[in-house]
Amino acid sequence: MNSKNNFDIVRLILASVVMLVHTAEVTRNADIRFLAHILNSDFAVKGFFAISGFLIAKSYLRSNSIKSYFVKRAQRILPAYIFVIVMCLIIGVCLTSLPLKEFITNKETIKYVIANFSFMNFIQPSLPGVFTNNPNQPMDGSLWTIKAEITLYVLLPFIVPLLVKKPFKTYATIFAISCVWFFYFTSVYTGPKADTLAKQFIALSSYFFFGSLLATNQAIFDKLKEITIVSLVAFVIFKNTSFSYLIEPVAFSSVVILFCTGLCREIKISQFGDLSYGMYLYHWPIIQVLTHFGVFDRNAYLGLMLTIILTVTLAFTSWNLLESRFLKRSHGHIPKATSHEA
């Protein structure tokens, strides 16, 4: 892969798409509902996983040991993740309708802390007496992907050697398991939380490990343009059929990684830091707070503008004062934005 790439700008675009779609969905404001129709956050999330699979596989291959690999992953993921949970707790303390002592000792608060610090935010996504008048109550609905990401990080050291030795057979197996899982929970199982179960790490593994496949096999990576064209044509043909989920993992992953690695000239934004992860984590609670204070009810576009400004500002501050400082411990210097996966 060329050292000049567009991973930074593509991830920033994908994070922005998620933020804009969530602004429309979380607030349920009619004036900005169009954002959820013209933008696709599902594609953005899957694109993130494909990029992550590519970069993390490269990171693993460069790591001196398994321990080094996991230390780097922890230094990248945990600081901002822990910070956003603490931030949500502080928001809860400030905005809860319950008396402070009752809020702190409430079973839901304790459950929130335990569940979110163990990456199981789906067990308790909200805090008692907080955002109860908002259209949605979760403190940070974006956190559900983190447990999937971490699970795939853990699996990657076992999968990469197989991808190197038997790339097609290994990926075909992952692809088949992923598609069967998705099909079962969208077409067969109709019980509780079917939609949630359909989106878990098994379904996302076909995106993540397609990125890893490209990262570990130069011959396949060299054919990325051809793979992208063929898969996109197939996706367009089957887009409105029940078979589209069979095309998406390769089509979505290949087009995103192609944009990152060689479709256009490099757009440098590394001087601003890697803001994509912070933007992804922080935008939801910001939307919730603005909704709580009625900003979107008064002027939806003002709320949207404030969401963008506050999210970017917090992500910039988080990168420079928190995230890059932890990464410095493993790199020995403040890393460039793209090296956060290195």
Side-chain angles (χ1 to χ4, degrees), residues 51-176:
I51 291 172
S52 183
F54 186 93
L55 293 176
I56 303 305
K58 292 285 188 182
S59 171
Y60 172 74
L61 292 173
R62 288 194 297 267
S63 297
N64 297 324
S65 65
I66 291 288
K67 179 181 177 181
S68 171
Y69 163 75
F70 282 116
V71 166
K72 285 187 287 186
R73 300 282 58 77
Q75 288 176 322
R76 180 62 188 116
I77 292 294
L78 293 183
Y81 180 83
I82 292 171
F83 175 77
V84 77
I85 295 172
V86 173
M87 183 180 80
C88 287
L89 283 170
I90 294 172
I91 291 171
V93 168
C94 295
L95 299 184
T96 183
S97 58
L98 301 180
L100 181 58
K101 183 178 179 181
E102 183 179 341
F103 172 80
I104 294 173
T105 59
N106 192 287
K107 289 182 179 179
E108 289 187 11
T109 303
I110 297 170
K111 190 176 179 182
Y112 177 87
V113 172
I114 295 172
N116 282 269
F117 276 120
S118 57
F119 307 102
M120 300 293 178
N121 64 296
F122 64 92
I123 294 175
Q124 185 62 48
S126 59
L127 284 168
V130 184
F131 302 142
T132 53
N133 293 321
N134 285 13
N136 289 277
Q137 285 71 54
M139 299 300 297
D140 195 340
S142 298
L143 298 184
W144 73 271
T145 61
I146 305 302
K147 67 180 181 301
E149 188 88 6
I150 290 174
T151 303
L152 292 168
Y153 289 173
V154 173
L155 291 175
L156 185 136
F158 301 97
I159 301 297
V160 162
L162 298 175
L163 286 173
V164 172
K165 293 179 181 179
K166 298 181 178 180
F168 294 107
K169 188 174 182 179
T170 301
Y171 183 72
T173 302
I174 294 169
F175 178 85

Side-chain angles (χ1 to χ4, degrees), residues 8 267-275 316 319-320 335-338:
D8 291 334
I267 302 173
K268 290 185 68 66
I269 59 169
S270 58
Q271 64 271 26
F272 301 110
D274 182 4
L275 308 187
F316 179 83
W319 169 258
N320 286 282
K336 294 180 180 179
T338 46

Side-chain angles (χ1 to χ4, degrees), residues 75-76 79-80 83 272-275 278 282 312-329 334-335:
Q75 288 176 322
R76 180 62 188 116
F83 175 77
F272 301 110
D274 182 4
L275 308 187
Y282 302 136
V312 172
T313 300
L314 184 54
F316 179 83
T317 304
S318 175
W319 169 258
N320 286 282
L321 298 184
L322 178 65
E323 298 165 59
S324 64
R325 292 174 183 264
F326 277 87
L327 289 173
K328 184 180 179 182
R329 296 181 182 183
I334 300 288

Side-chain angles (χ1 to χ4, degrees), residues 189-250:
Y189 176 78
T190 57
K193 299 191 175 186
D195 290 342
T196 300
L197 290 168
K199 297 177 182 178
Q200 296 310 304
F201 81 93
I202 297 178
L204 293 168
S205 64
S206 56
Y207 300 84
F208 184 90
F209 285 116
F210 185 79
S212 300
L213 176 69
L214 293 174
T216 55
N217 292 270
Q218 186 63 43
I220 299 174
F221 179 79
D222 289 340
K223 297 179 180 179
L224 180 56
K225 289 183 179 179
E226 291 84 350
I227 294 171
T228 303
I229 293 170
V230 172
S231 61
L232 283 180
V233 169
F235 177 73
V236 171
I237 294 172
F238 293 101
K239 181 180 179 181
N240 296 318
T241 73
S242 57
F243 300 104
S244 62
Y245 73 97
L246 295 171
I247 314 298
E248 282 188 10
V250 174

